[in-house]
Amino acid sequence: MSQFKVDVIVGLQSGDEGKGKITHHLLKSGKYTHCVRYNGGGNAGHTIYHNGKKFVTHYIPAGVFFGIKSIIGPGCVVNISKFFQEIRYLNNNGIKTDGLVYIADNAHITMDSHVKEDLKDEEIGTTKTGNGPTYRDKYYRKGYRVQQFDILYPYAIDFYEEFHERKQDIHALFEGAQGFELDIDWGDYPYVTSSHCTTAGALLNGIPPQALDRVWGVAKAYETYVGTKEFEPKEEVFSTLRDLGSEYGATTGRPRQCNWMDINRLKRAVNINGVQSLVINKMDILRELGQWTLRNDNVTVSFTSEKDFKDYIVDQLPNVEIYFSGSPHGFSSTAYNKNKAVA
Ligand code: IMP
Ligand code: MG
């Protein structure tokens, strides 16, 4: 019997945790047969460094950088002209997409009218990519699916056939967009996106729970959020943090509001998503800032060293394997161990 295994990458804060980097890093192992995006649409912006070159993608999963089949899943929405624009962008920059890029035939399409409507949003501070109106029409049963568009015919794929009717072994990496704090059910409603940013959201793409092999959660050593709600405390340190971390939106260029990591919220996200491996990105930025601070139940906790900061997080999340990353290019292959760590 052939094997069917799925690993999931899920964002644990408000997006922009560095999921693109983790996807790219994990794909280097060469063990994956597929790379799948499972939620969201043009609102997402994944920043990836490939062979020293920076790429920002919105739709196409990072599998293309490694010649791996890259599929936009049924849980996603796609703007057709933006999709073709991204294919050209990748091709013009030396990345081959021929025969590698597919879209689930039951994924929904973002129409010009959806974008036009989203442009009027003032309440949420959306990315103005038509995401909310597209998902609304999907659930209102007035949406348009990939299978209705001839131009997408060469890219359309049936998820059931691809993942359940093939004889070959499958090990797919499912990469999420946005993050748990923006999830339609679990985020800070209404300051959320319109899709399921959770591990469960990945399974909604036709994946049986038994196929789930490993859940990778991704967080940042501090938090950022883009949108209208007030998120950043009025302290100068967060402007410094924003500049050190280049915290400006990959999709819209908007400045991201910054705050310290909320360890209690992170714990909640880890538990609900069943995170087994956790990567905490941008440790280098806190290092540059020279301040090791986080929040616990709205109490600010500061540490005198990076090691104390790490040990505290590890103590709060005892059942999770944690990797701290201080480089835009990846992370070490061994999880953090308090007792072996050098300060
Ligand atoms: P929408 O997804 O464009 O409707 O935007 C809803 C909320 O989610 C807004 O606060 C956006 O800034 C935020 N958002 C959507 N996608 C992303 C993302 O990929 N990274 C960070 N924030 C996002
Ligand atoms: Mg992003």
Side-chain angles (χ1 to χ4, degrees), residues 182-207:
L182 291 175
D183 177 75
I184 183 75
D185 291 320
W186 294 98
D188 186 11
Y189 193 91
Y191 301 101
V192 295
T193 189
S194 301
S195 65
H196 299 283
C197 315
T198 51
T199 301
L203 298 183
L204 287 173
N205 289 251
I207 303 306

Side-chain angles (χ1 to χ4, degrees), residues 14-19 43-47 56-57 178 249-251 256:
S14 304
D16 309 314
E17 301 93 350
K19 295 177 292 294
N43 51 355
H46 286 178
T47 306
V56 177
T57 59
Q178 289 85 47
T251 301
R256 296 172 181 150

Side-chain angles (χ1 to χ4, degrees), residues 124-152:
I124 309 297
T126 72
T127 58
K128 313 280 186 281
T129 50
N131 201 70
T134 313
Y135 279 106
R136 181 206 53 210
D137 283 357
K138 165 177 169 170
Y139 288 102
Y140 194 44
R141 291 151 295 157
K142 296 213 182 285
Y144 301 88
R145 285 170 144 190
V146 166
Q147 62 213 156
Q148 290 165 260
F149 296 81
D150 287 352
I151 192 171
L152 292 176

Side-chain angles (χ1 to χ4, degrees), residues 55-192:
F55 289 86
V56 177
T57 59
H58 302 284
Y59 289 104
I60 299 173
V64 288
F65 294 101
F66 301 93
I68 295 168
K69 213 168 192 177
S70 299
I71 317 180
I72 299 167
C76 298
V77 298
V78 183
N79 179 321
I80 297 179
S81 60
K82 292 276 160 56
F83 168 75
F84 283 109
Q85 203 175 309
E86 191 160 306
I87 295 238
R88 284 194 298 274
Y89 158 74
L90 288 168
N91 294 163
N92 292 342
N93 286 284
I95 306 300
K96 290 200 179 75
T97 55
D98 267 9
L100 293 178
V101 174
Y102 295 90
I103 316 177
D105 59 7
N106 50 348
H108 275 248
I109 299 296
T110 294
M111 310 293 277
D112 290 347
S113 57
H114 292 136
V115 178
K116 226 180 233 168
E117 190 181 344
D118 202 14
L119 284 174
K120 296 189 201 127
D121 158 78
E122 283 175 3
E123 284 157 36
I124 309 297
T126 72
T127 58
K128 313 280 186 281
T129 50
N131 201 70
T134 313
Y135 279 106
R136 181 206 53 210
D137 283 357
K138 165 177 169 170
Y139 288 102
Y140 194 44
R141 291 151 295 157
K142 296 213 182 285
Y144 301 88
R145 285 170 144 190
V146 166
Q147 62 213 156
Q148 290 165 260
F149 296 81
D150 287 352
I151 192 171
L152 292 176
Y153 185 76
Y155 300 93
I157 197 167
D158 177 322
F159 253 55
Y160 183 71
E161 280 174 16
E162 184 65 22
F163 289 110
H164 296 273
E165 291 192 330
R166 285 154 51 101
K167 300 274 179 293
Q168 297 98 316
D169 285 348
I170 289 171
H171 195 170
L173 184 60
F174 274 54
E175 57 166 326
Q178 289 85 47
F180 186 66
E181 296 292 351
L182 291 175
D183 177 75
I184 183 75
D185 291 320
W186 294 98
D188 186 11
Y189 193 91
Y191 301 101
V192 295

